[in-house]
Amino acid sequence: MGFIIKPLVTEKMTKITDKSSEDKTIVALNEKSAKAHNATAETRSYVVKNKRHPEGLKKEKNVYTYTKSAEPKFGFIVKPEANKLEIKKEIESLYNVTVLDVNTMRYAGKRQSRYTKAGLVKGQKNAYKKVIVTLKAGDTIDFYSNI
């Protein structure tokens, strides 16, 4: 245990979290996928203008739409040796939520150098792993509750 280093609360991560926390209306491309998602059919009309029909030709098209429910996402920085199963288990035990999906990204340690009185000092930052966790609809993590 103890794979989570810190929660990732940045402006970029907040945008991802806010964007994923809204229900989305999706247009199904064909009837087969529409039936799979219980989509509703609606007729959309549009006008096609070209050389043959400069005044415009009215056409109608059947479109299938359905609503995809919101899936809240939260980011964490974890140790590089942690795998998805360990991360999922730890987040579920720490925050009492149900984790649906875990996406990981590995970042290599960057080389750094600086000039000091003693001369040029070279070093390297630590490698880390970033995790984006998708939770069950309705679950949320409050990072500021223990302050």
Side-chain angles (χ1 to χ4, degrees):
M1 287 300 234
F3 293 109
I4 297 175
I5 296 173
K6 66 179 181 177
L8 192 60
V9 186
T10 61
E11 187 176 333
K12 188 175 182 180
M13 191 64 223
T14 306
K15 284 181 184 178
I16 292 172
T17 304
D18 291 343
K19 191 175 181 181
S20 66
S21 297
E22 299 172 358
D23 291 342
K24 295 176 182 70
T25 303
I26 298 177
V27 177
L29 298 176
N30 55 27
E31 219 170 312
K32 186 178 179 183
S33 65
K35 287 180 183 177
H37 294 288
N38 296 329
T40 58
E42 62 181 67
T43 305
R44 292 186 182 173
S45 59
Y46 57 97
V47 178
V48 177
K49 292 183 180 180
N50 55 23
K51 290 180 182 177
R52 290 185 191 165
H53 305 284
E55 69 281 350
L57 181 65
K58 291 185 179 180
K59 290 190 173 186
E60 290 185 348
K61 185 177 186 180
N62 283 339
V63 177
Y64 303 95
T65 59
Y66 63 95
T67 304
K68 184 178 178 187
S69 60
E71 296 178 330
K73 296 183 181 183
F74 294 92
F76 295 91
I77 293 179
V78 298
K79 293 181 180 176
E81 60 269 11
N83 64 31
K84 290 183 180 186
L85 296 174
E86 294 168 339
I87 294 166
K88 179 180 177 178
K89 191 189 310 179
E90 187 167 342
I91 289 175
E92 285 179 343
S93 66
L94 280 176
Y95 297 105
N96 297 323
V97 294
T98 305
V99 176
L100 296 179
D101 194 22
V102 178
N103 298 80
T104 60
M105 296 159 274
R106 295 175 60 97
Y107 290 88
K110 300 232 172 26
R111 293 182 183 267
Q112 298 285 321
S113 60
R114 65 178 185 264
Y115 292 100
T116 63
K117 288 182 181 177
L120 184 65
V121 176
K122 292 184 179 181
Q124 186 166 352
K125 288 188 176 180
N126 293 337
Y128 64 96
K129 185 183 274 191
K130 190 191 294 185
V131 176
I132 296 179
V133 178
T134 305
L135 304 180
K136 187 176 119 184
D139 285 352
T140 185
I141 296 174
D142 187 14
F143 294 122
Y144 303 107
S145 63
N146 58 359
I147 294 177

